[in-house]
Amino acid sequence: MDVFGKRQTVGFLLSASLFCLALFPPHLTASALTLAWDPNAEPDLAGYKVYYGTQPGIYGSVLDVGNVTQYTVTGLEPETQYYFSLTAYDSSRNESDFSAEVSAATDPPHRLVSGLGGTSGGWIEAFAVDYSHADWLRVGWTRYNSANGEARIATGDIDGDGRDEIIVGLAPVWEQPYPKGYFEVLNDDHVRLAWGQINWSAYNDLNGESWPACGDIDGDGYDEIIIGLGRNGGGWFEVFDYDAVNLVHKAWGKVNWSSYNSTMGETHPACGDIDGDGYDEIIIGLGRDGGGWFEVFDYDAANLVHKAWGRVNWSPYNNANGETRPACGDIDGDGYDEIIIGLASYPANGGWFEVFDHDAAHLLHKIWKRINWPAYNSANGETRPACGDIDGDGYDEIVIGLGVGAWGYMEVFDDAHAGCAHLAWPRVHWEAYNSANGETWPALKK
């Protein structure tokens, strides 16, 4: 999940005659780097120029940024080291010497990862930038893989190394071995990092399925893991920290709807910074009979507190099913994550998904989009969203995983600047699975 605030900031500390530079902690966004500096003290200061290039001391580009002390340089190449220097100028356009040089690298584009559905044997496929096959991963629990094998995945940087881990949630199994509340974390090199377990033994014995998400909810530079619960989960969800060895409990949250909690109680989490404050909010989608509602939570002083309610703008769907499956991403580059809501089968919901903006205390409809496959839309129509900057242009794309019978396809939609137009049809590289099941649970990782 890459969002505004996950952007590298380079600090320039200026005095009247001497530029002293410092490098802020790295927060990356593909193809954009944010520079920040203290103001120059000259009384006739008129503005600043940013010089940059891909070699030390050689600046092929210059930007007159005016009299500001922070500027985001966009349009950079992903996975590229850039070198920056700054000058100040006065009202007569007299220009200072260069500041000391600072350097930072842009983030690589996000790459697609997809968990497979039940009866898949616990497999997960990692894709290359061009959607060709890159690697096969597998849930590290042989008995679960034989009994179900569905891999619900999320991605996030829980160890602060700048690369995303994969968090694997498990589906329910109605005979031994139950999932028992377990979830698995695979390191960015696809090797197992840790197992975690929901801290509720009664739930684990009764159901134990897990729905994962990741986000930095406390602003410490490390993503937390949020685990939603399945049916009979009472509306609860749990937050975990990674302490370099183990996954440890951080907080419990609960949906603020007692009648839903006492009947269904399923929670589908996502994370994103929807208000631009530098901290990720937690978005909780609800299960069947959730009325199309989803709830947003802030993390405040060790507590998860209600921020807003949103609702799908489709009354027939809300009344007949109402399940909501959220994802987050900044699809329009405004510095605020949008919320993308996928829908469950209606039994055939038509392949729709809805995008929401956050405005002050409200969640507002932004757009509806639809899968470009009429036969799938009429037969199933499930939409399972994920977000990330796949093409390295600095704006997040939307990837929609599909339900059973989709032949392993996922659809990629471009960012809002391109009208969220169709971009690609990636497909699982396993023909036997595609013809037998074909559902996908996508995520995007850097």
Side-chain angles (χ1 to χ4, degrees):
M1 330 183 334
D2 282 340
V3 298
F4 182 78
K6 301 281 187 179
R7 175 174 286 165
Q8 182 138 332
T9 304
V10 182
F12 296 93
L13 308 177
L14 282 71
S15 68
S17 58
L18 178 66
F19 297 113
C20 301
L21 280 73
L23 185 65
F24 281 33
H27 296 291
L28 300 175
T29 239
S31 72
L33 290 166
T34 297
L35 308 171
W37 55 92
D38 290 339
N40 187 289
E42 292 290 344
D44 196 25
L45 175 72
Y48 303 91
K49 292 183 179 182
V50 173
Y51 291 79
Y52 65 96
T54 57
Q55 299 180 58
I58 301 175
Y59 308 124
S61 300
V62 59
L63 297 169
D64 187 335
V65 300
N67 193 2
V68 298
T69 57
Q70 180 171 306
Y71 189 81
T72 298
V73 182
T74 61
L76 304 176
E77 292 296 322
E79 295 188 274
T80 302
Q81 192 77 20
Y82 281 91
Y83 299 84
F84 297 88
S85 188
L86 189 74
T87 64
Y89 59 87
D90 62 21
S91 58
S92 299
R93 307 300 292 186
N94 297 309
E95 194 169 349
S96 73
D97 292 335
F98 286 111
S99 70
E101 184 177 78
V102 294
S103 178
T106 50
D107 202 28
H110 285 78
R111 289 171 171 82
L112 177 63
V113 185
S114 182
L116 305 190
T119 72
S120 70
W123 290 102
I124 300 162
E125 185 172 14
F127 294 77
V129 173
D130 63 358
Y131 306 119
S132 62
H133 172 76
D135 199 5
W136 283 108
L137 326 175
R138 198 175 193 186
V139 176
W141 186 1
T142 303
R143 291 188 65 200
Y144 171 76
N145 294 341
S146 299
N148 186 318
E150 182 167 295
R152 306 160 172 176
I153 64 172
T155 57
D157 181 12
I158 69 169
D159 58 8
D161 66 356
R163 293 293 179 266
D164 287 340
E165 285 67 52
I166 300 172
I167 297 86
V168 185
L170 307 184
V173 177
W174 303 118
E175 57 186 25
Q176 291 288 357
Y178 301 132
K180 293 289 187 182
Y182 284 107
F183 57 97
E184 186 176 16
V185 180
L186 304 176
N187 210 341
D188 53 89
D189 60 1
H190 301 167
V191 174
R192 184 184 306 127
L193 187 67
W195 280 98
Q197 188 178 27
I198 295 164
N199 286 280
W200 184 6
S201 58
Y203 169 78
N204 295 342
D205 291 338
L206 180 66
N207 183 334
E209 65 178 307
S210 47
W211 294 92
C214 259
D216 185 4
I217 66 172
D218 58 7
D220 65 353
Y222 299 85
D223 282 342
E224 284 71 48
I225 295 174
I226 298 88
I227 297 295
L229 308 189
R231 187 179 293 271
N232 300 315
W236 291 99
F237 56 97
E238 187 171 9
V239 181
F240 293 82
D241 266 332
Y242 178 63
D243 67 1
V245 178
N246 300 302
L247 296 164
V248 296
H249 169 83
K250 184 178 181 74
W252 280 103
K254 191 177 188 180
V255 171
N256 288 282
W257 184 5
S258 58
S259 61
Y260 171 80
N261 296 343
S262 63
T263 54
M264 173 50 130
E266 189 167 321
T267 50
H268 304 155
C271 277
D273 184 6
I274 68 171
D275 57 8
D277 65 354
Y279 301 88
D280 285 341
E281 284 71 49
I282 298 174
I283 298 88
I284 298 294
L286 307 186
R288 189 177 179 90
D289 300 326
W293 291 100
F294 55 98
E295 187 173 8
V296 181
F297 292 81
D298 267 329
Y299 180 75
D300 182 23
N303 296 305
L304 291 161
V305 297
H306 170 83
K307 184 179 181 70
W309 280 103
R311 195 180 194 189
V312 172
N313 287 281
W314 185 6
S315 295
Y317 173 79
N318 296 342
N319 294 332
N321 187 320
E323 184 170 348
T324 48
R325 298 172 177 174
C328 277
D330 186 2
I331 67 172
D332 58 8
D334 66 351
Y336 302 85
D337 277 344
E338 285 71 49
I339 299 172
I340 298 88
I341 297 293
L343 308 183
S345 179
Y346 182 48
N349 71 37
W352 293 99
F353 58 96
E354 188 173 9
V355 181
F356 291 82
D357 264 333
H358 177 256
D359 178 19
H362 303 98
L363 295 167
L364 306 175
H365 167 82
K366 186 178 179 72
I367 56 171
W368 278 103
K369 290 296 292 185
R370 193 179 195 185
I371 296 297
N372 290 287
W373 185 2
Y376 172 78
N377 294 342
S378 61
N380 185 328
E382 279 192 76
T383 48
R384 304 166 175 182
C387 274
D389 184 8
I390 290 177
D391 56 11
D393 66 354
Y395 307 104
D396 286 340
E397 282 70 50
I398 301 170
V399 178
I400 301 293
L402 307 183
V404 174
W407 292 86
Y409 283 105
M410 295 161 273
E411 187 168 11
V412 181
F413 293 82
D414 210 342
D415 56 68
H417 290 271
C420 294
H422 167 83
L423 200 59
W425 280 108
R427 192 185 188 199
V428 172
H429 293 82
W430 183 7
E431 290 302 320
Y433 171 76
N434 292 342
S435 60
N437 183 328
E439 63 179 318
T440 49
W441 294 100
L444 292 159
K445 72 182 294 290
K446 64 182 191 308

